[in-house]
Amino acid sequence: MRNLLTLSRRELGAIAFAPSSYWILGLFLFVVAYFFRLALVAVGGDISQSYRSFASVVYFQLLLCVVPPLLTMRSIASERHSGTFEMLMTAPVTDRQVVLSKFVGAFAFYAALWLPTIVIPIALFQFGAYPDFGQVIAFTIGLLGLGAFFVSIGIFTSSVTSKIQAAFFLAFVLNVFFLFGVAGLAWLSPSEIVRDWSSALIIPQHLDEFARGIVDVRYLVFYVTATGFFLFLAVRSLESRQWR
Amino acid sequence: MAMNPAESTNWGGRDRRRLALQVVVLVLVAMVFVVGTNMLAKHLLTRFPWMRADLTEVKLHSLSDTTRGLLESQQPDADITVVFKSLGQTRSQVTAEQEALARLLDLLGEYRLLAPGLNVTTVDVDRDPSRARDIADRLELRELQPAEVSRVVVEAGGRRRDIPQAAWVSIDYGDGRRPASIVAFPAEDALTSALVHVLDPTPPEVHFLTGHGEGDPDAEDPAHGFSQARELLEQIGLEVRTLDLAARGEVPDEAAAVLVAGVRSDFTKAEAEALAAYFRRGGRGYFLLDPGVALPNVRELLRPYNLTLMDPELIVIDSKQHPIGADWDELAIKQGITGYHPITESLSMTGRRVHLGRSRPIRRTVVDTTMSPVSLLKTATRERDLSFLMRLTEDRSVRVRKVEFDEERDYHDGLEFDLAFAVESPGSEGTARLVTFGSSSFASNARIRMGANQQLFVNVANWLVDREFRLGIPPRTDLDRTFVMTEENDRKYLLLFVAGIPGLAALLGIATWVVRRR
């Protein structure tokens, strides 16, 4: 546990002292605020509807696919690329601790990206509107759940290659597949059973539900288990150096 | 403990294959675990409703206990067809309609989660005309006018219930300056009622009394027609009949309730006795009694239930004692829904008003101490500086000019008068239930779709036929959450969120960069 905390602190420190983190944060907040304003205008100022409208915009969904790989692409791949990976591996830490600390660092930064957006409904309240804070909390829970899933995919892809661009691209493709491809497969499938089961994996539908103010434990179970699965794959990927 | 990478070269080919196989097996086991856990979560949802939490402030997406109970206990197999046709002319009207449709489909999704046997089909007449034609043929909707096409059709076991659009959503189509918006969304009430109807092969009968100028359940006349009330009763799964007491001599046993809608002459003694006998057996009565009609026999009929009809002149006067009107609607029954009774409990929370029209007050008197009528509606006022004078005589001359309060004849006791009561009484074959309103106009075609009238009318009917479980489904109405995008508000938003906070983050980045360079 101590090793994990030390490694996680190292990861978070690296993020906090990197100027690029703040530039990514600024750019991210700009894009989110701008798209939210467009959504707000599109639904005539109805804040409740604007969350649903915002969550359904393709640009926003693409942003969700792009940001986690940007945060994770360097996590293991760059250590391999720069040669510090071997040094890390000689330290008295397990592969699992390495993967988890990378995940904690990237996920904490992802959560930090969304944190300032909670200011939007608070400020709208100050401006005289009346947002539904339950809906805001549900939407934030959904974004964090999905973020954990996509960050774990990024950690996994970063663990299988030493090329940063390849790690980003692979993670992006997987994210797009989970975000849009699964829905396509569900709709195309002739089997009622497949359609029924895969409907629970359609992420745009999850986002819509969270944006309505609903927290469905099934979706959280999916995100937690899928996150665990990709982190498990990342650990196995690191271990594979022993027998490859 | 991690192994030095250099050690990996010591593995032999056989060991490598064994380890690779081990990893493949582990990955497969992990996949099975992930899929199994998710399947289990999906399966458990129907058993543990808390697994789907509605965090919205007004529980906008939560099914009522009534609906939940029905779906969980009966697990109905039913076909629900949503036929939608836009009537909107402007963008805001179409947006409001689309939002209503989206909310309906969301709601049906909630139903399906608890009752997977519900088969939902949606057809948008404008977007998919050929499919709409097929469905319209099957449902025999082809002859309807465009405004009547939008509806939800619920079918099960050969029974069918149509829910017209007006019954599941109320849209204010706005005007040039005011955008269209959803005023009320009583879809859950309408859907659950329809399901109850199609699942119940023997619906209770409500008999409209005739013979004394009562409102006609088939008449379209706005003021004294009750065709819309009839439609509503049928929508909640009741059979509507008419009953001429003078001809028949008694209330038939199959009558679950009798409805007296705005009589224009009094019942004969024999008719009143037939009704009294019916109530003594445990019958149910729905009285809508307008003012200005002398009803001594009806008054006698209600007396044992501790109710006394009054027939006063109402005069609204200003602080200088000048009469300024006699409009009961000015008394704004908004705060007047009492909420003391299951009929009005859910309504009192919605804040919507009842448009009662001219009404006669009803007094609680004590004839039988075992009976306790519960007030459903009271007058209330928005204009606190006005005074109200109740003149308890038929003398209408007070309308002219100066009003003088007469201690002997007049009633001037604050602003509260009871306008409707519900009462129960033990009968020989069951419990009698009577609901009496001092007005029939709230249920007339002209007023029944206004405010909370429709819900009140339906709630009374459900209570009378022992469907208390239907009384707790208030319309789903969210608070107004509009952020008015004025030029100033837009500027504030852009400055703070699009420029301010992102700019601050960028400045922090620059500061970090400068510190690191040092």
Side-chain angles (χ1 to χ4, degrees), chain B residues 383-400:
Chain B
E383 305 292 338
R384 292 284 171 193
D385 56 333
L386 295 179
S387 300
F388 295 86
L389 173 65
M390 297 283 291
R391 179 141 290 189
L392 295 168
T393 70
E394 295 294 321
D395 178 7
R396 289 165 193 274
S397 59
V398 288
R399 273 183 185 279
V400 293

Side-chain angles (χ1 to χ4, degrees), chain B residues 167-486:
Chain B
W168 63 264
V169 65
S170 170
I171 296 176
D172 173 4
Y173 279 88
D175 52 32
R177 285 164 298 176
R178 193 165 41 87
S181 62
I182 295 173
V183 179
F185 188 69
E188 186 186 345
D189 187 35
L191 280 168
T192 301
S193 300
L195 277 171
V196 168
H197 175 78
V198 297
L199 297 170
D200 180 3
T202 53
E205 292 180 7
V206 173
H207 291 232
F208 271 69
L209 292 195
T210 61
H212 296 277
E214 292 94 337
D216 185 346
D218 294 319
E220 309 260 329
D221 163 39
H224 210 56
F226 287 83
S227 59
Q228 293 194 31
R230 178 198 183 117
E231 262 178 40
L232 283 172
L233 292 175
E234 287 174 345
Q235 276 166 24
I236 61 169
L238 305 178
E239 290 286 337
V240 175
R241 303 253 189 277
T242 54
L243 172 64
D244 185 347
L245 260 185
R248 174 112 189 196
E250 62 170 7
V251 179
D253 286 340
E254 58 270 24
V258 291
L259 200 157
V260 182
V263 286
R264 289 182 174 168
S265 62
D266 198 12
F267 292 145
T268 62
K269 279 205 164 18
E271 288 167 332
E273 181 46 42
L275 280 173
Y278 170 64
F279 295 138
R280 281 195 296 272
R281 294 204 307 268
R284 309 294 166 91
Y286 197 157
F287 290 91
L288 310 175
L289 305 169
D290 291 319
V293 185
L295 301 169
N297 287 332
V298 176
R299 194 184 289 234
E300 281 307 307
L301 177 67
L302 297 176
R303 188 183 290 278
Y305 299 95
N306 289 352
L307 297 172
T308 300
L309 298 177
M310 294 161 66
D311 197 7
E313 185 75 10
L314 170 80
I315 301 152
V316 182
I317 56 176
D318 66 15
S319 52
K320 291 177 183 165
Q321 299 283 296
H322 291 143
I324 57 170
D327 184 355
W328 277 93
D329 268 358
E330 279 305 309
L331 288 174
I333 314 298
K334 185 174 177 182
Q335 288 90 16
I337 303 175
T338 61
Y340 305 145
H341 194 274
I343 291 172
T344 47
E345 199 176 351
S346 62
L347 276 175
S348 65
M349 291 183 283
T350 64
R352 300 174 74 203
R353 57 179 288 200
V354 173
H355 296 255
L356 199 62
R358 194 163 164 255
S359 174
R360 70 163 82 219
I362 302 168
R363 263 183 175 169
R364 197 187 334 231
T365 45
V366 183
V367 174
D368 182 344
T369 51
T370 62
M371 234 164 287
S372 312
V374 180
S375 176
L376 302 179
L377 291 174
K378 286 177 185 290
T379 55
T381 178
R382 288 171 297 181
E383 305 292 338
R384 292 284 171 193
D385 56 333
L386 295 179
S387 300
F388 295 86
L389 173 65
M390 297 283 291
R391 179 141 290 189
L392 295 168
T393 70
E394 295 294 321
D395 178 7
R396 289 165 193 274
S397 59
V398 288
R399 273 183 185 279
V400 293
R401 290 301 85 208
K402 199 174 174 194
V403 176
E404 287 183 12
F405 185 74
D406 183 335
E407 289 283 349
E408 293 294 313
R409 296 171 13 184
D410 292 343
Y411 178 78
H412 185 181
D413 188 19
L415 308 173
E416 270 197 4
F417 311 109
D418 294 308
L419 301 169
F421 276 102
V423 61
E424 286 182 286
S425 161
S428 59
E429 295 169 22
T431 304
R433 286 183 169 180
L434 274 77
V435 175
T436 308
F437 283 77
S439 164
S440 72
S441 67
F442 92 98
S444 65
N445 289 340
R447 286 178 186 263
I448 198 160
R449 301 287 181 191
M450 291 180 176
N453 290 19
Q454 173 178 324
Q455 191 71 36
L456 177 64
F457 178 78
V458 162
N459 277 6
V460 171
N462 277 319
W463 184 71
L464 287 174
V465 299
D466 292 320
R467 287 183 173 177
E468 276 92 342
F469 67 90
R470 289 278 334 277
L471 301 174
I473 311 180
R476 294 174 177 217
T477 315
D478 197 4
L479 306 173
D480 183 5
R481 303 193 186 279
T482 309
F483 175 59
V484 184
M485 270 287 188
T486 58

Side-chain angles (χ1 to χ4, degrees), chain A residues 14 16-19 22-23 25-27 29-30 32-34 36-37 40-42 44-49 52 86 89-95 116 119-120 123-124 127-135 137-138 141 196-197 199-201 208-209 212-219 221-222 225-226 229 232-233 236 239 241-244, chain B residues 1-5 7-9 11 15-16 19-20 23 26-28 30-31 33-34 37-43 45 50-58 60-61 91 95 99 102-103 106-107 110 112-113 478-485 489-490 492-494 496-499 501-503 505-510 512-514 516:
Chain A
F17 291 107
Y22 297 97
W23 294 333
L25 176 68
L27 187 66
L29 292 176
F30 170 80
V32 167
Y34 185 72
F36 190 76
R37 180 181 168 275
L40 205 53
V41 171
D46 185 331
I47 300 170
S48 286
Q49 284 303 311
R52 290 187 78 178
E86 278 72 20
M89 288 296 107
T90 54
V93 290
T94 62
D95 295 340
V119 177
I120 294 180
L124 290 179
F127 293 166
Y130 196 53
D132 189 333
F133 287 100
Q135 187 187 20
I137 290 168
I141 289 173
D196 187 37
W197 284 108
S199 67
L201 309 180
D208 184 56
E209 298 260 292
R212 283 166 61 200
I214 293 170
V215 175
D216 193 322
V217 174
R218 286 176 309 165
Y219 303 154
V221 167
F222 169 68
T225 52
F229 179 68
F232 171 80
L233 289 185
R236 295 282 90 86
E239 279 179 1
R241 75 187 179 282
Q242 297 171 6
W243 49 268
R244 263 200 303 209
Chain B
M1 175 69 83
M3 206 171 278
N4 191 318
E7 291 175 34
S8 65
T9 52
W11 293 89
D15 291 332
R16 282 181 189 170
L19 273 169
V23 168
L26 275 172
V27 169
L28 284 175
M31 279 178 85
F33 173 77
V34 169
T37 311
N38 282 280
M39 286 174 77
L40 189 67
K42 184 179 166 66
H43 177 69
L45 180 74
W50 55 262
M51 288 179 70
R52 192 174 159 81
D54 178 1
L55 299 193
T56 57
E57 194 177 340
V58 293
L60 206 58
H61 312 293
R91 194 177 158 199
T95 305
E99 188 196 329
R103 283 175 67 176
D106 288 343
L107 180 67
E110 307 284 338
R112 284 208 70 223
L113 277 174
D478 197 4
L479 306 173
D480 183 5
R481 303 193 186 279
T482 309
F483 175 59
V484 184
M485 270 287 188
N489 276 344
D490 197 24
K492 278 184 196 170
Y493 184 96
L494 288 171
L496 187 62
F497 301 121
V498 180
I501 298 177
L507 280 176
L508 272 172
I510 293 170
T512 315
W513 180 69
V514 170
R516 285 187 62 159

